[in-house]
């Protein structure tokens, strides 16, 4: 999957070598392509679009599923993570390029290396090297929380890691240097270096300015930082100046097909994020086009999709003509419901299809054919308009850009003019960035959501240094993300726009007195709808009452409550002189029990709910039994009524038993998989037959009178994996995994 051929998990050494004129020219002439492939390879840019609720996908590829959980979970920064290469590819690709560029700059500036006859290519090579180093550092600063600011040809592993803000500052400085070097010169790189484009001195200077503006615009991690760019020595007036001198022609090298087709100029992000069957357009974006569409696909209290709540099966209508030219409606869904209905969407981005589906522009980026739009003139214009508002309060100037008849909002979208009001214009600017710039540029949607505090709570605000790099540096691993880790510094504490649509709610449980609860005291995320909260008094204590949201009172050891929003649940325990008996719970094997192992104190006749589960596919629940081995229940979840004496109960888990092990007379269970019947043959003294689903719930049970053969009808069971338990005389048991398939 790494088109450059590196083994997954490999770390580049980033070493330096002496430089000849030929080597320097080769690095310079291929540097645009090297930068492009590092940026457009399989990497974190593909992941970030899903994290930003711009694209949606529930597939496990490219860390999409892991990064789009609701609630959000931490980024797995282990070097062994199966998607670790998503961040490692960016780091290796760009820092490997930076090291080569540094060698060239050092050779020219420190060793006097001449470029070409009479040093004729001096300016072209040097300006290009500063540009490449600038954009490489800039993209690294947008992606990671820290990185190396490497501006000489030393060994990178000896450099300290600097915060992201310093990395972007260094990038802007290099881009300013490139502008200064190129200013007034007449050099040019032609189609051999940048497919389909001529990069002359003027264009390189303008491209450097546009990239500098982009890094400043997208760099902020919070809306507060975005207001005045407080994280940098620059401000919005610098963005205004950079964008004012930015590109007048798209930076869009012409693609020549994917790497599997022998191409070299490609964009692997858009290939999958808009390809039928892979990614779709997130409902948040569809809501922008048609406000009658919900911000998130409706789900039930378990997160499963609710398919009948969308009008006309999700068909959108919009005043924006681009709905029909850039987006394709699909009546069915291609995602797995139990991975989260929030992933669902009826639309995919089709603007860059080949062959065309909803438009005929001739831009076939989806298959890496035609111009590959990385930085567009329109993006530069939108940055300019935003900077006018934020730095100079030039609302009229911003309105002139937004309402320009030749810009896409009017020309392609056919939308009405926006009023000359700052807030309305900023909304229109971000709307255009979401709709028109979709799948243009690295980290655009992620950066825009980040700087507006719109990333879902628990979403990383940047990625950690890849775990493989930390291991190589002998540094401690770390990571970001997770709903309860939201600090607004490294992990988003925003995303308020989506919270009313969640299928879960935040619930805080407090305890007064001596006792415990399940879930335990603290803050939890519980599915909306009815939930059971259990109380377990300490010795000599009883539950007095439950209090919900400091107003409603309830009695009983089990609180059955309908949770729809953030709630506070308090359990009040009081001392008692009534006789209590000790219930000791434990488990044998690999599994979990609720309540957890320990001692609980109940009165005679009082009931308690017990449940045994296991996440290990090699272990199965067998039964609840006393510590003397007397079976109490073969149900994983049941209600136990306390007798007038102390009791110890053990939840037994066992590994699968191979058919016939430990038996005088071998027996057989067949067929497996089974479609209609399962036959048990020659099982001496068979007493009980039970079938359990993978959660441990019994779905079938039968008593048998010492017979040897049994036939189990399975046609009425849902296809899947089950556990068959056979019990013989003297309690002998056999547990076996059975697959039911009705094919």
């Amino acid at each position: 999957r790494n088109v450059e051929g590196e083994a997954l998990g490999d770390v580049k050494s980033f070493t330096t070598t002496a430089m000849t004129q030929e080597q320097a020219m080769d690095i310079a002439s291929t540097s645009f392509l090297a930068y492009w492939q590092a940026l457009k390879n399989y990497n974190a840019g593909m992941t970030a679009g899903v994290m930003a609720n711009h694209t949606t996908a529930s597939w496990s590829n490219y860390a999409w599923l892991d990064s789009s959980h609701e609630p959000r979970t931490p980024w797995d920064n282990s070097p062994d993570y199966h998607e670790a290469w998503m961040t490692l590819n960016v780091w290796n690709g760009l820092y490997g390029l930076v090291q080569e560029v540094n060698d060239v700059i050092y050779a020219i500036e420190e060793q006097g290396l001449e470029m070409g006859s009479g040093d004729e290519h001096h300016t072209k090579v040097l300006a290009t090297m500063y540009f490449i180093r600038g954009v490489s550092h800039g993209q690294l600063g947008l992606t990671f929380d820290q990185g190396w600011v490497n501006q000489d040809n030393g060994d990178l592993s000896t450099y300290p890691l600097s915060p992201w803000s310093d990395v972007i500052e260094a990038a802007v400085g290099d881009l300013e240097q490139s502008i200064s070097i190129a200013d007034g010169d007449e050099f040019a790189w032609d189609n051999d270096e940048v497919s389909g484009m001529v990069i002359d001195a003027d264009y390189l200077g303008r491209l450097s300015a546009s990239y500098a503006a982009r890094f400043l615009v997208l760099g902020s991690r919070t809306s507060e930082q975005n207001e005045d760019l407080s994280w940098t020595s620059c401000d919005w007036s610098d963005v205004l100046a950079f964008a004012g001198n930015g590109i007048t022609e798209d930076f869009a090298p012409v693609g020549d097909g994917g790497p599997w087709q022998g191409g070299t100029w490609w964009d692997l992000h858009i290939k999958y994020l808009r390809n039928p069957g892979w990614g779709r357009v997130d409902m948040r974006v569809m809501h922008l086009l048609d406000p009658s569409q919900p911000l998130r696909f409706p789900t039930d209290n378990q997160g499963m999709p609710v398919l009948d709540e969308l009008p006309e099966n999700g068909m959108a209508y919009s005043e924006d003509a681009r709905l029909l030219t850039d987006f394709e409606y699909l009546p069915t869904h291609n995602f797995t419901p139990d991975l989260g209905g929030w992933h669902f969407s009826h639309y995919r981005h089709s603007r860059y299809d080949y062959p065309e589906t909803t438009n005929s522009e001739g831009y076939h980026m989806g298959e890496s054919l035609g111009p590959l739009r990385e930085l567009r003139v329109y993006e530069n214009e939108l940055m300019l308009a935003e900077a006018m508002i934020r730095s100079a309060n030039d609302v009229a100037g911003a309105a002139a850009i937004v309402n320009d008849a030749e810009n896409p909002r009017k020309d392609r979208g056919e939308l009405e003019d926006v009023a000359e009001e700052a807030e309305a214009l900023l909304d229109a600017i971000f709307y255009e960035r979401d709709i028109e710039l979709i799948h243009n540029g690295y980290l655009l949607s992620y950066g825009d959501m980040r700087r507006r505090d719109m990333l879902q709570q628990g979403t990383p605000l940047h990625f950690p240094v890849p775990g493989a790099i930390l291991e190589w540096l002998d540094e401690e691993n770390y990571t970001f993300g997770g709903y309860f880790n939201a600090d607004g510094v490294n992990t988003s504490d925003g995303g308020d726009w989506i919270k009313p649509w969640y299928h879960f709610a935040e619930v805080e449980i407090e305890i007064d007195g001596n006792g415990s609860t399940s879930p335990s005291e603290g803050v939890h995320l519980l599915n909306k709808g009815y939930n059971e909260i259990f109380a377990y008094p300490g010795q000599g204590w009883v539950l007095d009452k439950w209090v919900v949201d400091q107003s409603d009172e309830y009695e009983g050891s089990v609180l059955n409550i309908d949770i729809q929003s953030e709630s506070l649940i308090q359990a009040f325990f009081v001392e008692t002189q009534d006789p209590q008996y000790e219930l000791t719970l434990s488990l044998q094997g690999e599994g979990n029990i609720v309540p957890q192992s320990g001692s609980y104190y109940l009165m005679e006749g009082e009931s308690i709910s017990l449940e045994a589960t296991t996440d290990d596919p090699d272990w199965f629940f067998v039964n609840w039994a006393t510590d003397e081995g007397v079976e109490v229940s073969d149900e994983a979840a049941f209600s136990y009524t306390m007798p007038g004496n102390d009791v110890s109960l053990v939840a037994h888990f066992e590994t699968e038993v191979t058919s016939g092990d430990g038996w005088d007379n071998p027996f057989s269970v067949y067929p497996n998989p089974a479609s209609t019947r399962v036959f048990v043959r020659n099982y001496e003294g068979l007493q009980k037959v039970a079938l359990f689903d993978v959660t441990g719930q019994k779905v079938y049970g039968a008593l048998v009178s010492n017979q040897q053969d049994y036939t189990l009808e399975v046609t009425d069971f849902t296809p899947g994996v089950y556990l068959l338990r056979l019990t013989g005389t003297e309690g002998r048991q056999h547990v076996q995994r059975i697959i039911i398939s009705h094919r």
Side-chain angles (χ1 to χ4, degrees), residues 16 95 98-107 109-110 126 129-138 147-156 159-160 162 166-178:
T16 183
Y95 271 122
V98 165
Q99 193 67 12
E100 290 183 336
V101 166
N102 282 341
D103 287 343
V104 176
I105 293 176
Y106 181 82
E109 293 186 337
E110 302 298 327
L126 199 58
M129 294 296 90
Y130 274 102
F131 167 78
I132 294 296
R133 190 170 73 183
V135 292
S136 297
H137 275 134
W148 293 309
V149 177
N150 182 26
Q151 296 180 318
D152 59 40
N153 69 332
D155 182 355
L156 276 175
Y159 283 76
S162 300
D166 288 356
V167 179
I168 295 180
E169 287 261 21
V172 172
D174 275 346
L175 292 170
E176 288 180 309
Q177 184 73 355
S178 178

Side-chain angles (χ1 to χ4, degrees), residues 652-711:
H652 290 273
F653 297 88
E654 293 183 0
T655 55
E656 184 176 353
V657 179
T658 303
S659 181
D661 281 1
W663 300 86
D664 293 334
N665 299 313
F667 59 89
S668 57
V669 179
Y670 66 92
N672 190 10
S675 59
T676 57
R677 298 178 182 86
V678 174
F679 300 99
V680 179
R681 294 292 182 261
N682 200 33
Y683 195 106
E684 184 177 349
L686 185 61
Q687 299 286 323
K688 296 180 184 178
V689 177
L691 192 68
F692 300 83
D693 65 20
V694 291
T695 68
Q697 298 301 311
K698 183 192 286 187
V699 296
Y700 177 84
L703 297 177
V704 182
S705 299
N706 291 320
Q707 63 192 60
Q708 295 186 359
D709 299 335
Y710 189 83
T711 300

Side-chain angles (χ1 to χ4, degrees), residues 220-227 430 446-457 461 488-489 491-499:
S220 297
R221 268 48 176 178
T222 65
S223 61
E224 183 178 0
Q225 291 177 353
N226 188 62
E227 287 297 319
F430 280 110
Y446 176 78
D448 281 338
M449 292 289 279
R450 175 171 63 184
R451 66 188 179 108
R452 290 183 289 167
D453 293 340
M454 290 182 66
L455 291 176
Q456 286 195 41
Q457 180 172 335
L461 290 173
V489 177
T491 300
S492 173
D493 59 359
D496 291 343
W497 61 274
I498 198 174
K499 291 181 179 179

